[in-house]
Amino acid sequence: MINQRLKYLLGIMVLFSSCVKETTQEPAQNNASETFAQLEIPNDFDFSTTQNIHLKVTSSNYARNSIINVAFKNDQGDLIDIAEGTSDSKGLYETRITVPTYVKELIITKDAAELQWEKKLAIYSEYAFVDFDTAAVLKSTFIRQEANNQRRGNVCEDYLVAINGQGKSFTIHQENEYSFTEYANIQEKCYAMTYDQENDIMYYDVKGALYRRSLGGSTPTLIKTLTTESSNINNGYPRMTMKDNVIIVGAGNDIALLDPTTGNAIKNVTLTNIPDDKNKGGDFIFDSIGDLYLACKGGLYRLDPNSDTTVYEAARISADNFSYYLTGIAIDRFDNIYASSNGSNSKIFKIDKKDGSWAIVHRAGRPVNDLAAFLCSDDDFAGQDSDGDGVNDGFDQYPNDPNITFDNYYPGENGFGTYAFEDFYPEEGDYDFNDVIIDYRHNFVTNADNKVVRIESKYVAKTVEALYQSGFAIQLPFPADSIASVTGHNLTAGTVTLDAKGLETGISAANPVVVVFDNQNGIVRQVGNKQIKKSDDIDMVITFTQPISAETLNFSGFNPFIFVNTRDKEVHLAGYSPTSKFNQAYRNNTDDVGSYRTATNHPWGLSIGHKFHPPKENVDITQAYNNFSLFSTSGGTSKQNWYTDDDGNRNTENIHLDQDDIEN
């Protein structure tokens, strides 16, 4: 299968609001005179919109080691991938997934023997089953592409093909410390390029003129000066990619599909659903399953075509704008997106397509104005399995360790999710949700059988103005005897004790507790003039005695909580239960009526799938986030993207933006 991604994502790690279409159908619902405490919240609303499903997929034909993909369509009609893995030797693939409560149907695809099947599965309960028998309808076949310069030796590497406006063409080898290989110059003023790997042809634009040249050649050929319906495109454009022998170019809301042989426009397409102030710069790229993405000022978007491909409608994945002006993007065989920034010393970024999170991975020392990619395929690594785990080295992220194979990040490789707590429990606080903030990222490291060998977690403790000494812990949904060790705690206050494994003592072995830190105010500090105090990264590792399944891991059953001043004063998310160390005198006392809710169903904690930018001190969350009111009063059915920087969501003057410093 061409560029088939063999990174087996756990279905339990779903960011249910990962793609959100920007819309103006519902106006912001902020009433300046109404606080969060005054809102009428539906009974038993826990500020969550998910359901857990135990999924079992079997295969009667092409059973062994088939690739299974699970997806659903969100309330805007966008297809959201949520799980991927391989069937076992008997054709069984089994996992637990978490999806929005409005989802009534799953879309299951199976890839095997260069073929793909698809089935739709209705959801009626917490259990779902589907079988790919011999009567299953074939959806598509794969055509393997092989480039003329594809290497057939012992090693193949993905690399980035790059150009800049100074007329330089070169490749960037991200698997070899981002080293450069220089190629013959092209014309200056070139800012858009794509690469046809099958035929080793680089297509590029110079002020609206389309050229082609082999990557290693030196003589360009003018194909055509463009005459599309868009003057923006005809005068030169920043966005360019290709798929199935069709070039896609774009500028702003204008897109044209071009014949690479003649340069003639096959079709003119309109891009919708991105505000003008976000639709700047950037580039297009297709992933391994054929979805089209755009990275631009507004962040990462997936572009969904209508039935006749005359309109691409954007679904936003990022929660925040990019901090840099992007010039190009490309993708590797693992579906990691790479991007370049504008300037004389371009930054190279790695972007996670699940949540749009990013990290700077290289500084080029030169301008990089567009990127494309050379991708290795399955055949390039045929017979190369150094550790004998059954996964080819090129798709094995730990090729020399037979016990581990893949990294599976939640919510993304570069970004964070956030827990935000009020610490005045059991009395109502000021609802600024900035007292105890924990950013988290988990990496579920799996073996070739899709089982979790260890969990590598990164936490950052944050606060704006917390008066109390608080700790943070997570109660786990699997037993202590499945855990070999826990390392990386930050314990300074003497509030808790640990056993030999690193688990908290005095807790039932059925649901052990991992304590991350016990004194927030002792580990956070203010950096420069920033108002958010932060700790250093806290890196923890949970290692299992034996690899465990996704069903046993059950990420949706993780129970995060803080403890305030003393260990027995626990504060959990709404609807979650305390541990045995909780002092029951707090239950049904003062403002808590049980399940960590007030009489009006207000919580003391929130869970957000992206990094949360907290309100300023004593600023009610509804005055910082205009649409949090509608999200709450609707029981979570409206404004699920209330925390993003989409138009109308934020009052930035009431928010501390938690952003890294921008490099020049």
Side-chain angles (χ1 to χ4, degrees):
M1 281 164 269
I2 174 174
N3 301 333
Q4 175 60 54
R5 187 181 183 205
L6 297 182
K7 183 178 180 181
Y8 305 141
L9 301 178
L10 294 176
I12 53 176
M13 301 181 294
V14 178
L15 179 58
F16 62 84
S17 58
S18 60
C19 290
V20 180
K21 292 191 177 178
E22 304 195 36
T23 177
T24 57
Q25 293 178 353
E26 294 177 302
Q29 297 292 311
N30 180 40
N31 184 338
S33 63
E34 189 175 38
T35 67
F36 179 51
Q38 294 171 317
L39 296 178
E40 294 185 8
I41 310 298
N43 290 336
D44 297 326
F45 177 46
D46 62 0
F47 295 82
S48 174
T49 58
T50 61
Q51 58 182 320
N52 301 318
I53 298 171
H54 185 164
L55 174 66
K56 183 180 292 187
V57 181
T58 59
S59 295
S60 304
N61 68 325
Y62 296 103
R64 183 176 181 179
N65 295 332
S66 298
I67 306 265
I68 305 297
N69 180 271
V70 186
F72 68 88
K73 287 189 176 181
N74 69 9
D75 57 350
Q76 300 293 330
D78 305 317
L79 190 67
I80 308 298
D81 293 318
I82 55 174
E84 191 172 67
T86 55
S87 60
D88 62 19
S89 59
K90 296 181 180 180
L92 174 65
Y93 172 73
E94 190 171 11
T95 189
R96 288 184 183 272
I97 57 175
T98 303
V99 298
T101 52
Y102 60 73
V103 173
K104 303 303 179 186
E105 182 180 76
L106 298 175
I107 300 170
I108 317 293
T109 58
K110 168 187 161 181
D111 297 344
E114 305 295 324
L115 305 172
Q116 185 177 82
W117 296 263
E118 178 181 283
K119 281 198 171 185
K120 295 181 178 180
L121 174 63
I123 299 174
Y124 299 107
S125 70
E126 61 183 301
Y127 298 97
F129 169 79
V130 66
D131 179 59
F132 284 92
D133 55 22
T134 55
V137 177
L138 184 66
K139 180 183 178 183
S140 63
T141 61
F142 296 93
I143 302 173
R144 188 182 306 279
Q145 296 178 350
E146 298 179 1
N148 294 339
N149 64 343
Q150 199 163 1
R151 291 169 293 171
R152 290 294 176 183
N154 292 328
V155 177
C156 180
E157 61 162 340
D158 292 356
Y159 54 80
L160 306 175
V161 181
I163 54 91
N164 65 31
Q166 297 174 353
K168 303 297 182 182
S169 67
F170 49 97
T171 53
I172 304 173
H173 300 263
Q174 70 268 29
E175 297 185 35
N176 187 21
E177 299 180 347
Y178 293 88
S179 59
F180 291 153
T181 298
E182 308 291 346
Y183 289 87
N185 288 351
I186 57 176
Q187 296 92 320
E188 295 184 359
K189 307 298 182 182
C190 171
Y191 300 104
M193 174 271 303
T194 189
Y195 178 59
D196 176 0
Q197 177 174 329
E198 182 180 7
N199 298 298
D200 188 31
I201 296 175
M202 182 171 62
Y203 295 92
Y204 60 92
D205 166 78
V206 181
K207 296 183 178 181
L210 180 64
Y211 289 85
R212 68 169 175 259
R213 194 198 78 184
S214 66
L215 179 59
S218 59
T219 304
T221 299
L222 173 64
I223 300 173
K224 183 176 183 176
T225 299
L226 297 188
T227 56
T228 71
E229 293 180 356
S230 169
S231 59
N232 288 335
I233 292 176
N234 296 342
N235 294 327
Y237 41 86
R239 302 168 182 170
M240 190 175 189
T241 190
M242 73 182 304
K243 183 179 186 296
D244 298 334
N245 203 37
V246 174
I247 296 175
I248 297 93
V249 299
N253 291 326
D254 298 330
I255 298 175
L257 310 184
L258 307 178
D259 182 330
T261 302
T262 64
N264 293 332
I266 301 171
K267 184 175 290 186
N268 294 281
V269 183
T270 300
L271 175 62
T272 64
N273 229 25
I274 305 181
D276 289 343
D277 64 336
K278 297 182 184 295
N279 192 11
K280 296 180 179 180
D283 200 7
F284 301 132
I285 194 65
F286 286 96
D287 70 0
S288 62
I289 62 174
D291 287 338
L292 180 62
Y293 290 82
L294 166 65
C296 58
K297 179 181 178 181
L300 186 65
Y301 295 82
R302 195 185 64 250
L303 308 184
D304 300 322
N306 64 353
S307 58
D308 60 356
T309 320
T310 56
V311 173
Y312 274 110
E313 189 172 11
R316 195 179 191 207
I317 297 171
S318 299
D320 294 280
N321 289 345
F322 276 121
S323 301
Y324 297 84
Y325 190 93
L326 299 185
T327 57
I329 62 173
I331 205 161
D332 69 9
R333 66 183 181 272
F334 296 106
D335 271 359
N336 297 306
I337 295 174
Y338 290 85
S340 55
S341 67
N342 195 31
S344 59
N345 181 16
S346 290
K347 280 74 177 175
I348 305 298
F349 308 91
K350 193 175 183 181
I351 303 173
D352 193 307
K353 76 171 190 177
K354 295 194 298 297
D355 66 350
S357 60
W358 55 270
I360 297 174
V361 294
H362 185 66
R363 292 153 184 85
R366 66 173 73 181
V368 179
N369 290 113
D370 206 357
L371 294 172
F374 175 95
L375 304 181
C376 301
S377 70
D378 298 3
D379 272 1
D380 293 302
F381 303 101
Q384 300 176 33
D385 184 9
S386 300
D387 56 15
D389 64 357
V391 178
N392 287 344
D393 288 351
F395 293 91
D396 188 337
Q397 292 171 306
Y398 299 90
N400 297 311
D401 189 332
N403 299 312
I404 52 178
T405 308
F406 302 109
D407 292 326
N408 305 272
Y409 289 94
Y410 180 82
E413 182 177 358
N414 308 305
F416 288 94
T418 301
Y419 302 120
F421 290 94
E422 288 281 295
D423 65 359
F424 207 53
Y425 179 85
E427 297 178 4
E428 284 189 352
D430 54 9
Y431 289 119
D432 55 17
F433 289 100
N434 68 16
D435 300 329
V436 185
I437 304 169
I438 303 97
D439 287 345
Y440 68 88
R441 178 194 305 144
H442 301 300
N443 178 16
F444 300 87
V445 184
T446 56
N447 63 16
D449 295 323
N450 307 324
K451 292 187 176 181
V452 182
V453 177
R454 64 174 182 255
I455 305 174
E456 299 173 348
S457 301
K458 185 180 294 292
Y459 301 96
V460 179
K462 302 190 301 188
T463 184
V464 173
E465 194 63 48
L467 298 179
Y468 302 132
Q469 173 181 301
S470 294
F472 172 71
I474 298 178
Q475 187 170 37
L476 302 173
F478 41 81
D481 61 11
S482 67
I483 298 172
S485 65
V486 180
T487 60
H489 324 74
N490 192 322
L491 305 179
T492 61
T495 309
V496 299
T497 57
L498 306 179
D499 64 17
K501 291 184 176 182
L503 298 169
E504 186 180 17
T505 60
I507 297 290
S508 168
N511 296 109
V513 167
V514 170
V515 181
V516 179
F517 58 83
D518 63 355
N519 182 7
Q520 174 187 253
N521 287 342
I523 61 176
V524 298
R525 68 183 188 279
Q526 190 168 356
V527 179
N529 61 355
K530 295 184 177 181
Q531 297 303 307
I532 302 175
K533 302 173 185 176
K534 296 184 180 183
S535 72
D536 293 332
D537 292 350
I538 303 171
D539 294 308
M540 299 193 69
V541 179
I542 300 175
T543 303
F544 295 103
T545 54
Q546 296 292 331
I548 67 173
S549 66
E551 295 89 339
T552 302
L553 181 69
N554 186 21
F555 177 68
S556 62
F558 280 35
N559 181 3
F561 64 94
I562 63 171
F563 47 93
V564 183
N565 287 334
T566 60
R567 176 60 186 84
D568 64 354
K569 192 176 184 180
E570 298 180 1
V571 186
H572 293 247
L573 300 175
Y576 283 76
S577 300
T579 75
S580 58
K581 290 197 172 183
F582 176 65
N583 185 345
Q584 293 293 333
Y586 295 116
R587 178 65 70 199
N588 302 324
N589 182 39
T590 315
D591 293 319
D592 181 12
V593 298
S595 298
Y596 293 99
R597 296 183 176 96
T598 69
T600 52
N601 209 34
H602 292 77
W604 277 267
L606 298 175
S607 176
I608 303 104
H610 284 264
K611 184 167 71 173
F612 180 55
H613 304 280
K616 294 180 178 179
E617 183 62 18
N618 296 321
V619 173
D620 188 284
I621 190 171
T622 60
Q623 307 307 308
Y625 290 90
N626 296 325
N627 289 312
F628 186 74
S629 297
L630 186 56
F631 169 75
S632 301
T633 57
S634 71
T637 61
S638 297
K639 296 298 182 182
Q640 295 177 8
N641 68 332
W642 61 266
Y643 51 84
T644 73
D645 70 355
D646 291 339
D647 290 347
N649 276 351
R650 295 177 180 173
N651 284 328
T652 54
E653 66 273 14
N654 288 336
I655 295 174
H656 291 305
L657 293 177
D658 184 11
Q659 296 177 326
D660 295 328
D661 293 330
I662 304 302
E663 298 181 8
N664 295 323

